[in-house]
Amino acid sequence: SYRKLALKNHPLKCKEPWAPEKFRQLAEAYDVLSDPMKKGIYDKFGEEGLKGGIPLEFGGENPWTVGYVFHNNPDKVFKEFFGGDNPFAEFFAEDGSELILPFGGLRGRGAMKQDPPIVRDLCLSLEDLFYGCTKKIKISRRVMNEDGQTSTIRDKILTIDVQPGWKQGTRITFEKEGDQGPNVIPADITFVVQEKLHPRFKRANDNLAYVATIPLGKALIGCTVDVRTLDGRLLNIPINDIVDPKYCKVVPGEGMPLPQDPRRKGDLLIYFNICFPKKLTPDKKMLLKSALLS
């Protein structure tokens, strides 16, 4: 078989001076015999008919077929048969000795190599990740026809069931949904979750961060902060502490659903942007001085 003879006579394995030409002849023979049309011409008309051309059934301006010419690249045939960028490495150790393959050898004609994965972003809003949703994505891919030789571009709908609490970086893989081709394993298609920017919240793991803007007076004497949640409720959060620039009010259970148990949620973290007055009248300064510095 080509596999056995190509390995035996490969110039990297066989150091005889005739090895390169023998390796080339083996590649040419396999290139012909693996193609049903070329093999049919060879079986019926021999090497002369294969390379010189044969008469067509119906005459035209050129009543003879174009003769076969080998591309003279035996390494190309070898790589296509065995698969991989360095197919020879599969069969020989670093010292050049032949490796013993498991029973059954390689799959099919050779070691089929899978195309690298196709990675695409899946952009989702915080609301999508809060509730969960279904996304349908149309892809166009090359599909092999029944003859096993030709292919057609066809559309397919991939469905992603987004679960509540999924995080940025979550990967969803559809195995072998890439382009099909002869002697190749279709690539996996992987979607990676990316969170869209939100006008009110910033996600921090399972928590949601919210920034409330309040004047200095309310930071000192207390206030109530209104927060509209992702599911539309209006929270009235009392702030009874003195708010300094590093202060954070934690509201338990008002964050994002936990992926392992969506019934439980992270926390709402309220940070504060404190607005200072641009100027103060002398009377107000006196009042502040007596209140804060006495």
Side-chain angles (χ1 to χ4, degrees), residues 32-44:
V32 171
L33 298 179
S34 63
D35 184 308
M37 184 174 292
K38 295 174 192 170
K39 183 178 184 300
I41 295 174
Y42 180 80
D43 289 344
K44 190 171 183 179

Side-chain angles (χ1 to χ4, degrees), residues 122-133 135 162-169 193-210 227-232 254-258 265 267-268:
L122 177 65
C123 295
L124 300 171
S125 67
L126 279 183
E127 285 82 1
D128 291 336
L129 296 168
F130 182 86
Y131 286 109
C133 63
K135 295 290 183 181
V162 178
Q163 299 301 307
W166 273 7
K167 298 176 182 177
Q168 178 148 315
V193 171
Q194 303 292 341
E195 292 176 0
K196 296 179 182 178
L197 291 176
H198 196 271
R200 297 195 306 282
F201 299 107
K202 184 175 178 61
R203 187 174 183 177
N205 205 2
D206 295 321
N207 301 323
L208 288 174
Y210 177 83
V227 181
R228 180 73 65 180
T229 62
L230 289 173
D231 56 3
E254 291 293 351
M256 293 295 290
L258 305 186
K265 294 182 174 61
D267 299 333
L268 173 63

Side-chain angles (χ1 to χ4, degrees), residues 98-232:
E98 185 167 0
L99 298 173
I100 304 300
L101 293 174
F103 178 76
L106 298 168
R107 291 171 296 170
R109 299 196 320 160
M112 294 177 68
K113 186 176 180 182
Q114 186 173 21
D115 287 337
I118 301 165
V119 181
R120 296 286 182 268
D121 287 341
L122 177 65
C123 295
L124 300 171
S125 67
L126 279 183
E127 285 82 1
D128 291 336
L129 296 168
F130 182 86
Y131 286 109
C133 63
T134 298
K135 295 290 183 181
K136 294 185 181 294
I137 300 167
K138 185 170 78 170
I139 62 168
S140 296
R141 60 178 189 150
R142 189 171 294 280
V143 177
M144 293 300 295
N145 296 323
E146 290 183 3
D147 60 13
Q149 299 295 321
T150 60
S151 60
T152 307
I153 299 294
R154 294 180 186 169
D155 292 338
K156 182 172 182 177
I157 302 295
L158 301 180
T159 301
I160 299 176
D161 291 319
V162 178
Q163 299 301 307
W166 273 7
K167 298 176 182 177
Q168 178 148 315
T170 298
R171 301 172 76 88
I172 309 98
T173 297
F174 293 87
E175 295 184 351
K176 301 177 184 177
E177 290 289 0
D179 288 339
Q180 298 176 2
N183 303 315
V184 84
I185 301 173
D188 294 343
I189 299 179
T190 297
F191 293 93
V192 182
V193 171
Q194 303 292 341
E195 292 176 0
K196 296 179 182 178
L197 291 176
H198 196 271
R200 297 195 306 282
F201 299 107
K202 184 175 178 61
R203 187 174 183 177
N205 205 2
D206 295 321
N207 301 323
L208 288 174
Y210 177 83
V211 177
T213 298
I214 60 173
L216 177 60
K218 288 187 176 182
L220 295 173
I221 67 173
C223 61
T224 298
V225 174
D226 294 335
V227 181
R228 180 73 65 180
T229 62
L230 289 173
D231 56 3

